[in-house]
Amino acid sequence: MFGARQVDVLAELPAAPVKGRSLWQDARARFLRNKAAVLGLITLILMTIFAVFGGLIAQYEPDFVDFSLMGANAFRGVPSIETGHYFGVDQDGRDLYARVVQGTGISLLVGVVGSFVAVFIGTLYGAMSGYIGGRVDNIMMRTVDILLSIPFMFVLILMLVIFGQSLLMLFIGIGLISWLNMARIARGQTLTIKNKEFVEAAVASGVPTFTIILRHIVPNLAGIVIVYATLLIPEIILFESFVSYLGLGVQEPNTSLGALINLGARQMNNGTLWMLLFPLAFFLITLFAFFFVGDGLRDALDPKDR
């Protein structure tokens, strides 16, 4: 009898509220469980710190020339803490450490800015195409298909030759061409969102089309946009490095990791292997870190894994 009364009392007690977790909280927990992604994120933070503050411990400016270590004498400028040339010197007698710091910063800047431009344009274009639909969608996406059929690298090199080899033109050229794939991805996701209840409620309330796209469609594309951006950055860094390797990218006195790798590759047979190894190491570490972070975000934001 006592046991039955006890059960009745327990049944009358209010149930403890169950605390739910949002998609972003679940994604953060899954991302932190991915050791490769966390290691990649830590590496990117360290690379950013190196690019921003690494010059503070440099003993020489990036454009300072040590005439005693130029040309054939460059092999004497081996990496040494005592001389202040931590990574040695290049063929022109300039401190390689200072130039790697500068090159890392410019390569990261090109990747991040180019990715931002591509994601911004591609997301808006794809969201508008998918939401409006009909003939407008057909025309907009056929335009994207035509532009995708044109070789990307050929267009970028042609723009740099016609409009001049500058860092600004490199930003514009890479960003304005890299948005095409983002537009197709955003359009596909928009087609699955446009018929949701919250969008239909906004339409019934008389909200303008462009406002619906900005306030309801684009925010719901944030997950896929973030993942694509992290995977696009290393791709843009590769493009910039290849263009700089051809001598059409970042111009002197500035430099990038691609330009440094180009100079180092030319001096491989002169006993100055460090001119290639140091910029190549930073280049590969940066790329792999972005790939690991991108893969980790893609897995963490996958709703099927919730």
Side-chain angles (χ1 to χ4, degrees):
M1 186 69 179
F2 178 76
R5 289 184 59 187
Q6 188 177 22
V7 171
D8 293 338
V9 172
L10 292 176
E12 294 175 358
L13 293 176
V18 178
K19 185 178 180 181
R21 292 192 302 175
S22 67
L23 171 64
W24 294 104
Q25 290 175 327
D26 286 340
R28 181 178 60 184
R30 288 197 297 270
F31 182 84
L32 294 177
R33 289 196 298 267
N34 190 326
K35 296 181 180 180
V38 173
L39 179 61
L41 180 61
I42 295 174
T43 301
L44 288 179
I45 294 174
L46 294 177
M47 282 292 181
T48 303
I49 294 174
F50 173 78
V52 176
F53 301 106
L56 298 178
I57 62 174
Q59 300 295 319
Y60 305 91
E61 294 295 327
D63 55 352
F64 173 78
V65 177
D66 190 340
F67 292 98
S68 64
L69 298 176
M70 288 183 62
N73 294 325
F75 71 92
R76 295 189 303 172
V78 297
S80 173
I81 298 178
E82 296 179 357
T83 61
H85 297 298
Y86 309 132
F87 292 172
V89 299
D90 63 8
Q91 178 68 11
D92 296 323
R94 294 171 296 187
D95 182 53
L96 188 58
Y97 170 80
R99 294 184 64 77
V100 168
V101 171
Q102 184 186 54
T104 302
I106 290 181
S107 293
L108 287 175
L109 185 63
V110 170
V112 172
V113 173
S115 177
F116 175 80
V117 173
V119 168
F120 180 79
I121 297 176
T123 301
L124 288 180
Y125 189 94
M128 291 178 61
S129 176
Y131 182 77
I132 296 174
R135 182 176 299 178
V136 174
D137 177 38
N138 190 34
I139 294 174
M140 292 178 71
M141 296 316 296
R142 296 297 77 75
T143 302
V144 170
D145 293 338
I146 293 173
L147 293 176
L148 280 172
S149 66
I150 302 174
F152 168 81
M153 192 58 65
F154 173 77
V155 175
L156 180 59
I157 293 175
L158 190 63
M159 289 181 62
L160 292 172
V161 171
I162 295 176
F163 298 105
Q165 303 170 21
S166 64
L167 195 59
L168 177 62
M169 185 52 58
L170 194 62
F171 286 149
I172 296 175
I174 292 178
L176 291 183
I177 299 174
S178 301
W179 63 271
L180 298 173
N181 287 324
M182 184 68 243
R184 301 179 71 176
I185 295 173
R187 185 245 182 192
Q189 293 294 315
T190 301
L191 292 177
T192 63
I193 296 175
K194 62 183 294 185
N195 295 322
K196 297 291 185 180
E197 292 80 2
F198 60 89
V199 176
E200 294 179 351
V203 174
S205 301
V207 180
T209 299
F210 194 68
T211 303
I212 293 176
I213 293 174
L214 290 180
R215 291 186 179 180
H216 299 285
I217 301 296
V218 172
N220 284 277
L221 300 177
I224 189 67
V225 166
I226 292 173
V227 172
Y228 184 77
T230 56
L231 296 175
L232 182 61
I233 291 175
E235 182 179 345
I236 292 178
I237 292 177
L238 278 172
F239 287 145
E240 180 276 325
S241 299
F242 179 73
V243 172
S244 296
Y245 189 87
L246 296 177
L248 297 174
V250 179
Q251 300 299 306
E252 298 288 352
N254 296 319
T255 189
S256 68
L257 293 178
L260 292 174
I261 292 173
N262 180 26
L263 294 175
R266 295 178 183 177
Q267 305 298 324
M268 285 183 61
N269 298 325
N270 296 335
T272 56
L273 192 59
W274 64 82
M275 292 176 54
L276 174 64
L277 292 181
F278 283 109
L280 183 61
F282 278 82
F283 177 73
L284 293 177
I285 290 173
T286 302
L287 289 186
F288 278 111
F290 272 115
F291 284 134
F292 287 149
V293 171
D295 288 340
L297 287 174
R298 181 182 58 192
D299 295 338
L301 293 172
D302 189 351
K304 292 182 292 185
D305 291 338
R306 293 195 69 184

